Amino acid sequence: MFKILLIAVVVILVTFGLVKLVDKFIPSKFKPFLIIALWILIGFLGYKTYMSIYEPIKFNEVKNKRYAEVIKNLIDIRDSQLAYRQVNGKFADNFDNLVKFIDTAKFTITQRRDTSIVDVEATKRFGGVITTKSIVLIDTLGFVPVKDSLFKKSIRYKTMMNVPVGQEGAKFELKAGVLEQNDVKIPVFEASVKKDVILFDQNRDLVIQENQVVSVDGVNGDALKVGSMDEVKTNGNWPKTYGDNE
């Protein structure tokens, strides 16, 4: 953008110089037409210079607003998936199962307490001398609906699969599976949407640039996503300026 601005400024300065030259060396009868043409050129270049500055600013405003809306849904999807794994030991691989789970599942409320009991084997070894050992007891106190725990009275989880801005009718892509690390199978998931979908109606050159972003304060890559199918993580790929990504 800086190069465009610099070129435009140089061209405008050159055009002003040409106006001066026309005024000094061109015959009077041709001057009005040439001066009018040059002023039109100056106006056009001024407009292009303004747009080269304004368009990226406007693009960033639209982008940031839309990303914030998309991220709200991704956070809901992540929280729902974490609850699903807590109850089922794995992640859901489709939204129908995930929504059904939220509608019907319950968290078990437990209480952990330490106590001691007679260690029968040790007591025998010590000739009948009463010997105790410590154990941990888990008491079930009750059950809480997942829906109430995550969303209270809101029903937004029923539409969290829909991309809320950008291309109409777009939905998040949801994947789930397992990764094997040190002979241990670990559940993973990923929910994502392409930036092209979110910014489908914006300046194409600026969208292409956005798809190539590599920055600590930007969303790297060509998509907004939470989780990963390639590594064990449940955080999002957006900076914390947009919202909780942990």
PDB file of all heavy atoms in Angstrom, residues 59-95:
ATOM      1  N   PHE A  59     -11.907  -2.466   4.839  1.00  0.00           N
ATOM      2  CA  PHE A  59     -11.803  -3.928   4.806  1.00  0.00           C
ATOM      3  C   PHE A  59     -11.500  -4.476   6.194  1.00  0.00           C
ATOM      4  O   PHE A  59     -12.123  -5.448   6.641  1.00  0.00           O
ATOM      5  CB  PHE A  59     -10.721  -4.343   3.817  1.00  0.00           C
ATOM      6  CG  PHE A  59     -10.436  -5.820   3.799  1.00  0.00           C
ATOM      7  CD1 PHE A  59     -11.229  -6.693   3.075  1.00  0.00           C
ATOM      8  CD2 PHE A  59      -9.364  -6.343   4.524  1.00  0.00           C
ATOM      9  CE1 PHE A  59     -10.970  -8.061   3.067  1.00  0.00           C
ATOM     10  CE2 PHE A  59      -9.093  -7.701   4.521  1.00  0.00           C
ATOM     11  CZ  PHE A  59      -9.898  -8.559   3.783  1.00  0.00           C
ATOM     12  N   ASN A  60     -10.554  -3.863   6.892  1.00  0.00           N
ATOM     13  CA  ASN A  60     -10.189  -4.329   8.224  1.00  0.00           C
ATOM     14  C   ASN A  60     -11.330  -4.165   9.219  1.00  0.00           C
ATOM     15  O   ASN A  60     -11.514  -5.001  10.108  1.00  0.00           O
ATOM     16  CB  ASN A  60      -8.949  -3.586   8.726  1.00  0.00           C
ATOM     17  CG  ASN A  60      -7.670  -4.085   8.081  1.00  0.00           C
ATOM     18  OD1 ASN A  60      -7.564  -5.255   7.729  1.00  0.00           O
ATOM     19  ND2 ASN A  60      -6.704  -3.202   7.911  1.00  0.00           N
ATOM     20  N   GLU A  61     -12.109  -3.089   9.068  1.00  0.00           N
ATOM     21  CA  GLU A  61     -13.268  -2.896   9.933  1.00  0.00           C
ATOM     22  C   GLU A  61     -14.284  -4.014   9.739  1.00  0.00           C
ATOM     23  O   GLU A  61     -14.796  -4.593  10.712  1.00  0.00           O
ATOM     24  CB  GLU A  61     -13.913  -1.536   9.656  1.00  0.00           C
ATOM     25  CG  GLU A  61     -13.087  -0.343  10.137  1.00  0.00           C
ATOM     26  CD  GLU A  61     -13.738   0.982   9.787  1.00  0.00           C
ATOM     27  OE1 GLU A  61     -14.771   0.975   9.081  1.00  0.00           O
ATOM     28  OE2 GLU A  61     -13.215   2.034  10.213  1.00  0.00           O
ATOM     29  N   VAL A  62     -14.581  -4.309   8.473  1.00  0.00           N
ATOM     30  CA  VAL A  62     -15.536  -5.375   8.156  1.00  0.00           C
ATOM     31  C   VAL A  62     -14.994  -6.725   8.627  1.00  0.00           C
ATOM     32  O   VAL A  62     -15.701  -7.524   9.246  1.00  0.00           O
ATOM     33  CB  VAL A  62     -15.823  -5.412   6.633  1.00  0.00           C
ATOM     34  CG1 VAL A  62     -16.653  -6.643   6.272  1.00  0.00           C
ATOM     35  CG2 VAL A  62     -16.538  -4.146   6.197  1.00  0.00           C
ATOM     36  N   LYS A  63     -13.724  -6.982   8.320  1.00  0.00           N
ATOM     37  CA  LYS A  63     -13.087  -8.251   8.699  1.00  0.00           C
ATOM     38  C   LYS A  63     -13.144  -8.469  10.207  1.00  0.00           C
ATOM     39  O   LYS A  63     -13.556  -9.551  10.669  1.00  0.00           O
ATOM     40  CB  LYS A  63     -11.634  -8.236   8.234  1.00  0.00           C
ATOM     41  CG  LYS A  63     -10.829  -9.472   8.624  1.00  0.00           C
ATOM     42  CD  LYS A  63      -9.342  -9.233   8.452  1.00  0.00           C
ATOM     43  CE  LYS A  63      -8.807  -8.291   9.530  1.00  0.00           C
ATOM     44  NZ  LYS A  63      -7.337  -8.120   9.436  1.00  0.00           N
ATOM     45  N   ASN A  64     -12.741  -7.479  10.984  1.00  0.00           N
ATOM     46  CA  ASN A  64     -12.701  -7.633  12.437  1.00  0.00           C
ATOM     47  C   ASN A  64     -14.082  -7.874  13.021  1.00  0.00           C
ATOM     48  O   ASN A  64     -14.256  -8.695  13.935  1.00  0.00           O
ATOM     49  CB  ASN A  64     -12.073  -6.390  13.081  1.00  0.00           C
ATOM     50  CG  ASN A  64     -10.589  -6.275  12.789  1.00  0.00           C
ATOM     51  OD1 ASN A  64      -9.923  -7.257  12.495  1.00  0.00           O
ATOM     52  ND2 ASN A  64     -10.065  -5.058  12.852  1.00  0.00           N
ATOM     53  N   LYS A  65     -15.076  -7.168  12.481  1.00  0.00           N
ATOM     54  CA  LYS A  65     -16.448  -7.341  12.962  1.00  0.00           C
ATOM     55  C   LYS A  65     -16.963  -8.747  12.658  1.00  0.00           C
ATOM     56  O   LYS A  65     -17.575  -9.407  13.509  1.00  0.00           O
ATOM     57  CB  LYS A  65     -17.357  -6.289  12.327  1.00  0.00           C
ATOM     58  CG  LYS A  65     -18.782  -6.304  12.863  1.00  0.00           C
ATOM     59  CD  LYS A  65     -19.605  -5.170  12.267  1.00  0.00           C
ATOM     60  CE  LYS A  65     -21.026  -5.180  12.804  1.00  0.00           C
ATOM     61  NZ  LYS A  65     -21.845  -4.080  12.223  1.00  0.00           N
ATOM     62  N   ARG A  66     -16.697  -9.223  11.440  1.00  0.00           N
ATOM     63  CA  ARG A  66     -17.169 -10.554  11.054  1.00  0.00           C
ATOM     64  C   ARG A  66     -16.416 -11.656  11.798  1.00  0.00           C
ATOM     65  O   ARG A  66     -17.026 -12.645  12.229  1.00  0.00           O
ATOM     66  CB  ARG A  66     -17.039 -10.738   9.537  1.00  0.00           C
ATOM     67  CG  ARG A  66     -17.996  -9.855   8.752  1.00  0.00           C
ATOM     68  CD  ARG A  66     -17.944 -10.148   7.264  1.00  0.00           C
ATOM     69  NE  ARG A  66     -18.794  -9.238   6.519  1.00  0.00           N
ATOM     70  CZ  ARG A  66     -18.976  -9.276   5.198  1.00  0.00           C
ATOM     71  NH1 ARG A  66     -18.350 -10.203   4.476  1.00  0.00           N
ATOM     72  NH2 ARG A  66     -19.759  -8.407   4.598  1.00  0.00           N
ATOM     73  N   TYR A  67     -15.107 -11.486  11.942  1.00  0.00           N
ATOM     74  CA  TYR A  67     -14.337 -12.488  12.670  1.00  0.00           C
ATOM     75  C   TYR A  67     -14.852 -12.641  14.095  1.00  0.00           C
ATOM     76  O   TYR A  67     -14.935 -13.757  14.624  1.00  0.00           O
ATOM     77  CB  TYR A  67     -12.858 -12.093  12.706  1.00  0.00           C
ATOM     78  CG  TYR A  67     -12.082 -12.398  11.434  1.00  0.00           C
ATOM     79  CD1 TYR A  67     -12.722 -12.834  10.273  1.00  0.00           C
ATOM     80  CD2 TYR A  67     -10.700 -12.237  11.376  1.00  0.00           C
ATOM     81  CE1 TYR A  67     -12.017 -13.100   9.108  1.00  0.00           C
ATOM     82  CE2 TYR A  67      -9.986 -12.514  10.217  1.00  0.00           C
ATOM     83  CZ  TYR A  67     -10.643 -12.931   9.089  1.00  0.00           C
ATOM     84  OH  TYR A  67      -9.943 -13.187   7.950  1.00  0.00           O
ATOM     85  N   ALA A  68     -15.173 -11.523  14.731  1.00  0.00           N
ATOM     86  CA  ALA A  68     -15.662 -11.565  16.113  1.00  0.00           C
ATOM     87  C   ALA A  68     -16.946 -12.393  16.223  1.00  0.00           C
ATOM     88  O   ALA A  68     -17.127 -13.165  17.176  1.00  0.00           O
ATOM     89  CB  ALA A  68     -15.900 -10.150  16.634  1.00  0.00           C
ATOM     90  N   GLU A  69     -17.827 -12.253  15.228  1.00  0.00           N
ATOM     91  CA  GLU A  69     -19.082 -13.014  15.226  1.00  0.00           C
ATOM     92  C   GLU A  69     -18.818 -14.496  14.997  1.00  0.00           C
ATOM     93  O   GLU A  69     -19.420 -15.360  15.646  1.00  0.00           O
ATOM     94  CB  GLU A  69     -20.031 -12.471  14.147  1.00  0.00           C
ATOM     95  CG  GLU A  69     -20.561 -11.080  14.431  1.00  0.00           C
ATOM     96  CD  GLU A  69     -21.353 -11.017  15.727  1.00  0.00           C
ATOM     97  OE1 GLU A  69     -22.219 -11.889  15.941  1.00  0.00           O
ATOM     98  OE2 GLU A  69     -21.096 -10.109  16.532  1.00  0.00           O
ATOM     99  N   VAL A  70     -17.936 -14.802  14.080  1.00  0.00           N
ATOM    100  CA  VAL A  70     -17.598 -16.199  13.778  1.00  0.00           C
ATOM    101  C   VAL A  70     -16.967 -16.865  14.994  1.00  0.00           C
ATOM    102  O   VAL A  70     -17.281 -18.013  15.332  1.00  0.00           O
ATOM    103  CB  VAL A  70     -16.641 -16.276  12.561  1.00  0.00           C
ATOM    104  CG1 VAL A  70     -16.068 -17.681  12.407  1.00  0.00           C
ATOM    105  CG2 VAL A  70     -17.380 -15.874  11.291  1.00  0.00           C
ATOM    106  N   ILE A  71     -16.092 -16.151  15.669  1.00  0.00           N
ATOM    107  CA  ILE A  71     -15.374 -16.708  16.818  1.00  0.00           C
ATOM    108  C   ILE A  71     -16.330 -17.042  17.964  1.00  0.00           C
ATOM    109  O   ILE A  71     -16.123 -18.032  18.689  1.00  0.00           O
ATOM    110  CB  ILE A  71     -14.264 -15.739  17.267  1.00  0.00           C
ATOM    111  CG1 ILE A  71     -13.123 -15.775  16.236  1.00  0.00           C
ATOM    112  CG2 ILE A  71     -13.740 -16.079  18.655  1.00  0.00           C
ATOM    113  CD1 ILE A  71     -12.115 -14.661  16.379  1.00  0.00           C
ATOM    114  N   LYS A  72     -17.390 -16.266  18.126  1.00  0.00           N
ATOM    115  CA  LYS A  72     -18.384 -16.586  19.157  1.00  0.00           C
ATOM    116  C   LYS A  72     -18.944 -17.996  18.934  1.00  0.00           C
ATOM    117  O   LYS A  72     -19.097 -18.777  19.883  1.00  0.00           O
ATOM    118  CB  LYS A  72     -19.526 -15.563  19.130  1.00  0.00           C
ATOM    119  CG  LYS A  72     -19.150 -14.189  19.653  1.00  0.00           C
ATOM    120  CD  LYS A  72     -20.341 -13.235  19.542  1.00  0.00           C
ATOM    121  CE  LYS A  72     -19.983 -11.832  19.986  1.00  0.00           C
ATOM    122  NZ  LYS A  72     -21.134 -10.900  19.828  1.00  0.00           N
ATOM    123  N   ASN A  73     -19.246 -18.321  17.685  1.00  0.00           N
ATOM    124  CA  ASN A  73     -19.765 -19.654  17.383  1.00  0.00           C
ATOM    125  C   ASN A  73     -18.704 -20.734  17.587  1.00  0.00           C
ATOM    126  O   ASN A  73     -18.999 -21.818  18.090  1.00  0.00           O
ATOM    127  CB  ASN A  73     -20.283 -19.706  15.946  1.00  0.00           C
ATOM    128  CG  ASN A  73     -21.665 -19.102  15.797  1.00  0.00           C
ATOM    129  OD1 ASN A  73     -21.964 -18.073  16.399  1.00  0.00           O
ATOM    130  ND2 ASN A  73     -22.510 -19.710  14.990  1.00  0.00           N
ATOM    131  N   LEU A  74     -17.467 -20.427  17.189  1.00  0.00           N
ATOM    132  CA  LEU A  74     -16.395 -21.407  17.364  1.00  0.00           C
ATOM    133  C   LEU A  74     -16.163 -21.716  18.842  1.00  0.00           C
ATOM    134  O   LEU A  74     -15.882 -22.862  19.212  1.00  0.00           O
ATOM    135  CB  LEU A  74     -15.107 -20.896  16.717  1.00  0.00           C
ATOM    136  CG  LEU A  74     -15.071 -20.911  15.182  1.00  0.00           C
ATOM    137  CD1 LEU A  74     -13.812 -20.231  14.663  1.00  0.00           C
ATOM    138  CD2 LEU A  74     -15.162 -22.340  14.644  1.00  0.00           C
ATOM    139  N   ILE A  75     -16.297 -20.708  19.692  1.00  0.00           N
ATOM    140  CA  ILE A  75     -16.141 -20.925  21.136  1.00  0.00           C
ATOM    141  C   ILE A  75     -17.267 -21.819  21.650  1.00  0.00           C
ATOM    142  O   ILE A  75     -17.034 -22.728  22.459  1.00  0.00           O
ATOM    143  CB  ILE A  75     -16.112 -19.579  21.878  1.00  0.00           C
ATOM    144  CG1 ILE A  75     -14.804 -18.836  21.573  1.00  0.00           C
ATOM    145  CG2 ILE A  75     -16.250 -19.791  23.386  1.00  0.00           C
ATOM    146  CD1 ILE A  75     -14.741 -17.428  22.133  1.00  0.00           C
ATOM    147  N   ASP A  76     -18.495 -21.588  21.178  1.00  0.00           N
ATOM    148  CA  ASP A  76     -19.617 -22.444  21.579  1.00  0.00           C
ATOM    149  C   ASP A  76     -19.391 -23.886  21.120  1.00  0.00           C
ATOM    150  O   ASP A  76     -19.684 -24.839  21.860  1.00  0.00           O
ATOM    151  CB  ASP A  76     -20.925 -21.911  20.980  1.00  0.00           C
ATOM    152  CG  ASP A  76     -21.492 -20.733  21.764  1.00  0.00           C
ATOM    153  OD1 ASP A  76     -21.059 -20.523  22.904  1.00  0.00           O
ATOM    154  OD2 ASP A  76     -22.363 -20.027  21.215  1.00  0.00           O
ATOM    155  N   ILE A  77     -18.885 -24.046  19.898  1.00  0.00           N
ATOM    156  CA  ILE A  77     -18.612 -25.392  19.379  1.00  0.00           C
ATOM    157  C   ILE A  77     -17.548 -26.073  20.226  1.00  0.00           C
ATOM    158  O   ILE A  77     -17.676 -27.249  20.597  1.00  0.00           O
ATOM    159  CB  ILE A  77     -18.171 -25.320  17.907  1.00  0.00           C
ATOM    160  CG1 ILE A  77     -19.334 -24.839  17.024  1.00  0.00           C
ATOM    161  CG2 ILE A  77     -17.685 -26.691  17.422  1.00  0.00           C
ATOM    162  CD1 ILE A  77     -18.940 -24.518  15.601  1.00  0.00           C
ATOM    163  N   ARG A  78     -16.484 -25.350  20.554  1.00  0.00           N
ATOM    164  CA  ARG A  78     -15.420 -25.919  21.376  1.00  0.00           C
ATOM    165  C   ARG A  78     -15.935 -26.340  22.753  1.00  0.00           C
ATOM    166  O   ARG A  78     -15.664 -27.455  23.218  1.00  0.00           O
ATOM    167  CB  ARG A  78     -14.292 -24.906  21.553  1.00  0.00           C
ATOM    168  CG  ARG A  78     -13.163 -25.417  22.450  1.00  0.00           C
ATOM    169  CD  ARG A  78     -12.196 -24.314  22.814  1.00  0.00           C
ATOM    170  NE  ARG A  78     -12.861 -23.244  23.538  1.00  0.00           N
ATOM    171  CZ  ARG A  78     -12.368 -22.013  23.660  1.00  0.00           C
ATOM    172  NH1 ARG A  78     -11.208 -21.704  23.101  1.00  0.00           N
ATOM    173  NH2 ARG A  78     -13.018 -21.091  24.334  1.00  0.00           N
ATOM    174  N   ASP A  79     -16.690 -25.455  23.409  1.00  0.00           N
ATOM    175  CA  ASP A  79     -17.207 -25.775  24.743  1.00  0.00           C
ATOM    176  C   ASP A  79     -18.124 -26.997  24.688  1.00  0.00           C
ATOM    177  O   ASP A  79     -18.100 -27.852  25.590  1.00  0.00           O
ATOM    178  CB  ASP A  79     -17.959 -24.575  25.316  1.00  0.00           C
ATOM    179  CG  ASP A  79     -17.031 -23.405  25.631  1.00  0.00           C
ATOM    180  OD1 ASP A  79     -15.804 -23.613  25.658  1.00  0.00           O
ATOM    181  OD2 ASP A  79     -17.540 -22.290  25.833  1.00  0.00           O
ATOM    182  N   SER A  80     -18.919 -27.087  23.632  1.00  0.00           N
ATOM    183  CA  SER A  80     -19.818 -28.234  23.478  1.00  0.00           C
ATOM    184  C   SER A  80     -19.028 -29.515  23.249  1.00  0.00           C
ATOM    185  O   SER A  80     -19.359 -30.577  23.799  1.00  0.00           O
ATOM    186  CB  SER A  80     -20.771 -27.989  22.299  1.00  0.00           C
ATOM    187  OG  SER A  80     -21.553 -26.827  22.508  1.00  0.00           O
ATOM    188  N   GLN A  81     -17.976 -29.426  22.457  1.00  0.00           N
ATOM    189  CA  GLN A  81     -17.151 -30.604  22.192  1.00  0.00           C
ATOM    190  C   GLN A  81     -16.422 -31.077  23.451  1.00  0.00           C
ATOM    191  O   GLN A  81     -16.307 -32.283  23.699  1.00  0.00           O
ATOM    192  CB  GLN A  81     -16.133 -30.294  21.089  1.00  0.00           C
ATOM    193  CG  GLN A  81     -16.698 -30.280  19.678  1.00  0.00           C
ATOM    194  CD  GLN A  81     -16.895 -31.700  19.139  1.00  0.00           C
ATOM    195  OE1 GLN A  81     -17.387 -32.594  19.823  1.00  0.00           O
ATOM    196  NE2 GLN A  81     -16.519 -31.908  17.891  1.00  0.00           N
ATOM    197  N   LEU A  82     -15.938 -30.141  24.233  1.00  0.00           N
ATOM    198  CA  LEU A  82     -15.257 -30.522  25.471  1.00  0.00           C
ATOM    199  C   LEU A  82     -16.213 -31.224  26.438  1.00  0.00           C
ATOM    200  O   LEU A  82     -15.836 -32.183  27.118  1.00  0.00           O
ATOM    201  CB  LEU A  82     -14.632 -29.292  26.132  1.00  0.00           C
ATOM    202  CG  LEU A  82     -13.454 -28.667  25.378  1.00  0.00           C
ATOM    203  CD1 LEU A  82     -13.009 -27.372  26.060  1.00  0.00           C
ATOM    204  CD2 LEU A  82     -12.286 -29.644  25.290  1.00  0.00           C
ATOM    205  N   ALA A  83     -17.451 -30.744  26.484  1.00  0.00           N
ATOM    206  CA  ALA A  83     -18.459 -31.403  27.317  1.00  0.00           C
ATOM    207  C   ALA A  83     -18.773 -32.793  26.768  1.00  0.00           C
ATOM    208  O   ALA A  83     -18.916 -33.761  27.534  1.00  0.00           O
ATOM    209  CB  ALA A  83     -19.729 -30.550  27.366  1.00  0.00           C
ATOM    210  N   TYR A  84     -18.860 -32.908  25.463  1.00  0.00           N
ATOM    211  CA  TYR A  84     -19.140 -34.198  24.819  1.00  0.00           C
ATOM    212  C   TYR A  84     -18.045 -35.206  25.158  1.00  0.00           C
ATOM    213  O   TYR A  84     -18.317 -36.361  25.499  1.00  0.00           O
ATOM    214  CB  TYR A  84     -19.233 -34.001  23.305  1.00  0.00           C
ATOM    215  CG  TYR A  84     -19.742 -35.202  22.542  1.00  0.00           C
ATOM    216  CD1 TYR A  84     -21.082 -35.309  22.176  1.00  0.00           C
ATOM    217  CD2 TYR A  84     -18.885 -36.233  22.155  1.00  0.00           C
ATOM    218  CE1 TYR A  84     -21.552 -36.402  21.456  1.00  0.00           C
ATOM    219  CE2 TYR A  84     -19.340 -37.331  21.446  1.00  0.00           C
ATOM    220  CZ  TYR A  84     -20.670 -37.409  21.100  1.00  0.00           C
ATOM    221  OH  TYR A  84     -21.131 -38.498  20.382  1.00  0.00           O
ATOM    222  N   ARG A  85     -16.789 -34.755  25.091  1.00  0.00           N
ATOM    223  CA  ARG A  85     -15.671 -35.651  25.410  1.00  0.00           C
ATOM    224  C   ARG A  85     -15.687 -36.053  26.887  1.00  0.00           C
ATOM    225  O   ARG A  85     -15.389 -37.203  27.238  1.00  0.00           O
ATOM    226  CB  ARG A  85     -14.344 -34.987  25.082  1.00  0.00           C
ATOM    227  CG  ARG A  85     -13.136 -35.917  25.285  1.00  0.00           C
ATOM    228  CD  ARG A  85     -11.837 -35.188  25.142  1.00  0.00           C
ATOM    229  NE  ARG A  85     -11.670 -34.142  26.150  1.00  0.00           N
ATOM    230  CZ  ARG A  85     -10.590 -33.367  26.246  1.00  0.00           C
ATOM    231  NH1 ARG A  85      -9.591 -33.510  25.394  1.00  0.00           N
ATOM    232  NH2 ARG A  85     -10.524 -32.441  27.180  1.00  0.00           N
ATOM    233  N   GLN A  86     -16.045 -35.107  27.747  1.00  0.00           N
ATOM    234  CA  GLN A  86     -16.069 -35.409  29.185  1.00  0.00           C
ATOM    235  C   GLN A  86     -17.051 -36.533  29.492  1.00  0.00           C
ATOM    236  O   GLN A  86     -16.794 -37.376  30.353  1.00  0.00           O
ATOM    237  CB  GLN A  86     -16.450 -34.150  29.971  1.00  0.00           C
ATOM    238  CG  GLN A  86     -16.432 -34.335  31.486  1.00  0.00           C
ATOM    239  CD  GLN A  86     -16.714 -33.034  32.221  1.00  0.00           C
ATOM    240  OE1 GLN A  86     -16.511 -31.954  31.697  1.00  0.00           O
ATOM    241  NE2 GLN A  86     -17.191 -33.142  33.447  1.00  0.00           N
ATOM    242  N   VAL A  87     -18.156 -36.558  28.779  1.00  0.00           N
ATOM    243  CA  VAL A  87     -19.190 -37.571  29.033  1.00  0.00           C
ATOM    244  C   VAL A  87     -18.950 -38.836  28.228  1.00  0.00           C
ATOM    245  O   VAL A  87     -19.124 -39.955  28.734  1.00  0.00           O
ATOM    246  CB  VAL A  87     -20.583 -36.991  28.707  1.00  0.00           C
ATOM    247  CG1 VAL A  87     -21.660 -38.077  28.821  1.00  0.00           C
ATOM    248  CG2 VAL A  87     -20.901 -35.831  29.643  1.00  0.00           C
ATOM    249  N   ASN A  88     -18.506 -38.685  26.969  1.00  0.00           N
ATOM    250  CA  ASN A  88     -18.417 -39.828  26.052  1.00  0.00           C
ATOM    251  C   ASN A  88     -17.001 -40.334  25.787  1.00  0.00           C
ATOM    252  O   ASN A  88     -16.817 -41.369  25.146  1.00  0.00           O
ATOM    253  CB  ASN A  88     -19.073 -39.477  24.712  1.00  0.00           C
ATOM    254  CG  ASN A  88     -20.553 -39.187  24.848  1.00  0.00           C
ATOM    255  OD1 ASN A  88     -21.348 -40.071  25.149  1.00  0.00           O
ATOM    256  ND2 ASN A  88     -20.930 -37.940  24.631  1.00  0.00           N
ATOM    257  N   GLY A  89     -15.996 -39.569  26.224  1.00  0.00           N
ATOM    258  CA  GLY A  89     -14.625 -40.005  26.019  1.00  0.00           C
ATOM    259  C   GLY A  89     -14.077 -39.756  24.631  1.00  0.00           C
ATOM    260  O   GLY A  89     -12.964 -40.181  24.304  1.00  0.00           O
ATOM    261  N   LYS A  90     -14.828 -39.069  23.798  1.00  0.00           N
ATOM    262  CA  LYS A  90     -14.391 -38.730  22.442  1.00  0.00           C
ATOM    263  C   LYS A  90     -15.136 -37.484  21.997  1.00  0.00           C
ATOM    264  O   LYS A  90     -16.029 -36.993  22.711  1.00  0.00           O
ATOM    265  CB  LYS A  90     -14.674 -39.883  21.479  1.00  0.00           C
ATOM    266  CG  LYS A  90     -16.158 -40.234  21.363  1.00  0.00           C
ATOM    267  CD  LYS A  90     -16.394 -41.390  20.408  1.00  0.00           C
ATOM    268  CE  LYS A  90     -17.882 -41.704  20.284  1.00  0.00           C
ATOM    269  NZ  LYS A  90     -18.129 -42.807  19.330  1.00  0.00           N
ATOM    270  N   PHE A  91     -14.781 -36.957  20.820  1.00  0.00           N
ATOM    271  CA  PHE A  91     -15.461 -35.783  20.284  1.00  0.00           C
ATOM    272  C   PHE A  91     -16.504 -36.198  19.245  1.00  0.00           C
ATOM    273  O   PHE A  91     -16.363 -37.239  18.595  1.00  0.00           O
ATOM    274  CB  PHE A  91     -14.454 -34.828  19.630  1.00  0.00           C
ATOM    275  CG  PHE A  91     -13.516 -34.170  20.601  1.00  0.00           C
ATOM    276  CD1 PHE A  91     -12.155 -34.456  20.581  1.00  0.00           C
ATOM    277  CD2 PHE A  91     -13.985 -33.267  21.537  1.00  0.00           C
ATOM    278  CE1 PHE A  91     -11.276 -33.857  21.467  1.00  0.00           C
ATOM    279  CE2 PHE A  91     -13.114 -32.656  22.437  1.00  0.00           C
ATOM    280  CZ  PHE A  91     -11.761 -32.957  22.406  1.00  0.00           C
ATOM    281  N   ALA A  92     -17.521 -35.371  19.083  1.00  0.00           N
ATOM    282  CA  ALA A  92     -18.547 -35.625  18.073  1.00  0.00           C
ATOM    283  C   ALA A  92     -18.009 -35.273  16.694  1.00  0.00           C
ATOM    284  O   ALA A  92     -17.294 -34.283  16.535  1.00  0.00           O
ATOM    285  CB  ALA A  92     -19.799 -34.792  18.375  1.00  0.00           C
ATOM    286  N   ASP A  93     -18.369 -36.076  15.683  1.00  0.00           N
ATOM    287  CA  ASP A  93     -17.895 -35.806  14.325  1.00  0.00           C
ATOM    288  C   ASP A  93     -18.964 -35.194  13.428  1.00  0.00           C
ATOM    289  O   ASP A  93     -18.769 -35.046  12.227  1.00  0.00           O
ATOM    290  CB  ASP A  93     -17.347 -37.079  13.675  1.00  0.00           C
ATOM    291  CG  ASP A  93     -18.411 -38.176  13.570  1.00  0.00           C
ATOM    292  OD1 ASP A  93     -19.577 -37.934  13.963  1.00  0.00           O
ATOM    293  OD2 ASP A  93     -18.058 -39.280  13.099  1.00  0.00           O
ATOM    294  N   ASN A  94     -20.109 -34.840  14.031  1.00  0.00           N
ATOM    295  CA  ASN A  94     -21.137 -34.128  13.277  1.00  0.00           C
ATOM    296  C   ASN A  94     -21.997 -33.312  14.228  1.00  0.00           C
ATOM    297  O   ASN A  94     -22.076 -33.609  15.430  1.00  0.00           O
ATOM    298  CB  ASN A  94     -22.003 -35.092  12.446  1.00  0.00           C
ATOM    299  CG  ASN A  94     -22.819 -36.036  13.304  1.00  0.00           C
ATOM    300  OD1 ASN A  94     -23.862 -35.656  13.840  1.00  0.00           O
ATOM    301  ND2 ASN A  94     -22.332 -37.275  13.479  1.00  0.00           N
ATOM    302  N   PHE A  95     -22.619 -32.271  13.683  1.00  0.00           N
ATOM    303  CA  PHE A  95     -23.381 -31.344  14.529  1.00  0.00           C
ATOM    304  C   PHE A  95     -24.693 -31.935  15.024  1.00  0.00           C
ATOM    305  O   PHE A  95     -25.175 -31.558  16.091  1.00  0.00           O
ATOM    306  CB  PHE A  95     -23.640 -30.046  13.766  1.00  0.00           C
ATOM    307  CG  PHE A  95     -22.436 -29.138  13.695  1.00  0.00           C
ATOM    308  CD1 PHE A  95     -21.773 -28.939  12.503  1.00  0.00           C
ATOM    309  CD2 PHE A  95     -21.965 -28.505  14.834  1.00  0.00           C
ATOM    310  CE1 PHE A  95     -20.658 -28.112  12.434  1.00  0.00           C
ATOM    311  CE2 PHE A  95     -20.851 -27.676  14.789  1.00  0.00           C
ATOM    312  CZ  PHE A  95     -20.197 -27.479  13.584  1.00  0.00           C
TER     313      PHE A  95
END
